[in-house]
Amino acid sequence: METIPVWEKYILTMQEASAYFGIGINQFRKIVIEHKDAPWVLWNGAHAKIKRREFEKFIDSTNSL
């Protein structure tokens, strides 16, 4: 099975997103909880996945986390 680089993935795990965006995992979890209905969060049961491109747009539009 071929491994896909993180920057090419459409959906990231919380750990991948934390590393990719340079945000600590605990801070990233807080952000997801605060924005649980955001368009960049995809819920797989109780597990949140991050839509990379949508989260990039969110980051671009905010001044603080």
Side-chain angles (χ1 to χ4, degrees):
M1 181 174 199
E2 186 178 331
T3 302
I4 300 171
V6 172
W7 59 88
E8 291 183 8
K9 288 185 173 185
Y10 182 77
I11 296 180
L12 306 174
T13 65
M14 296 271 281
Q15 292 79 13
E16 289 171 334
S18 171
Y20 182 80
F21 290 105
I23 301 170
I25 189 67
N26 291 332
Q27 179 67 24
F28 205 90
R29 284 189 177 116
K30 285 182 191 177
I31 295 168
V32 170
I33 290 168
E34 291 171 1
H35 298 89
K36 63 182 175 183
D37 294 325
W40 46 265
V41 178
L42 175 67
W43 291 96
N44 182 9
H47 301 282
K49 304 290 184 176
I50 308 304
K51 296 177 186 177
R52 183 181 51 82
R53 291 184 209 140
E54 295 293 325
F55 190 73
E56 287 173 352
K57 291 176 188 175
F58 170 73
I59 291 292
D60 289 343
S61 69
T62 189
N63 292 325
S64 64
L65 296 175

